[in-house]
Amino acid sequence: MKKLIISLAILAFSTLVIAGQGPEVIDLSKSFDIPKLTKKEVKFPHWAHQKNNQCSDCHLEGGALKNIKSGGKLEPGVVKGINNKVHKEFCWPCHIAKKVPRGKSCSKCH
């Protein structure tokens, strides 16, 4: 019985450690190498998304970002204005699916 309790405690602790991985906040203008911003940079609250979602909701195995529409790897290309793959294939599809209030509003993230 003691071994079972210890094993369960280790499993619970491991789950908490794994779930807590990743930075607290990510500056997406740096992540997507955007030299000239047309709107305020997005300080992505990774911790908030992490506590409400599974890593696999946004990431492929190995950590690459997932194209939410296709399920494959997100290939962001040039990120400029609103007509870009980050908005259309990553952020907005998830916000729409999860019914995030004002999920496509510029001021929601910028």
Side-chain angles (χ1 to χ4, degrees):
M1 183 67 169
K2 186 176 181 180
K3 287 182 181 180
L4 176 63
I5 292 171
I6 291 171
S7 296
L8 290 174
I10 290 171
L11 179 63
F13 178 75
S14 299
T15 303
L16 288 173
V17 169
I18 290 168
Q21 288 182 352
E24 187 174 331
V25 176
I26 301 169
D27 182 340
L28 294 183
S29 63
K30 291 179 182 168
S31 295
F32 291 112
D33 193 27
I34 305 169
K36 185 177 179 186
L37 300 174
T38 55
K39 294 219 173 272
K40 183 180 172 199
E41 76 274 1
V42 175
K43 298 289 187 171
F44 179 73
H46 187 262
W47 64 272
H49 287 78
Q50 186 171 276
K51 74 178 185 177
N52 295 316
N53 300 286
Q54 300 296 314
C55 296
S56 60
D57 290 347
C58 303
H59 295 277
L60 298 172
E61 194 167 320
L65 291 177
K66 181 190 288 188
N67 179 320
I68 302 301
K69 289 179 104 176
S70 72
K73 182 179 178 186
L74 177 69
E75 300 290 348
V78 176
V79 179
K80 183 178 180 181
I82 63 169
N83 191 22
N84 64 70
K85 291 183 178 186
V86 175
H87 284 126
K88 292 182 173 186
E89 297 176 2
F90 187 65
C91 303
W92 291 346
C94 187
H95 282 187
I96 290 166
K98 295 188 182 248
K99 297 180 171 88
V100 174
R102 295 180 25 250
K104 286 179 67 176
S105 168
C106 296
S107 63
K108 179 74 176 177
C109 302
H110 294 274

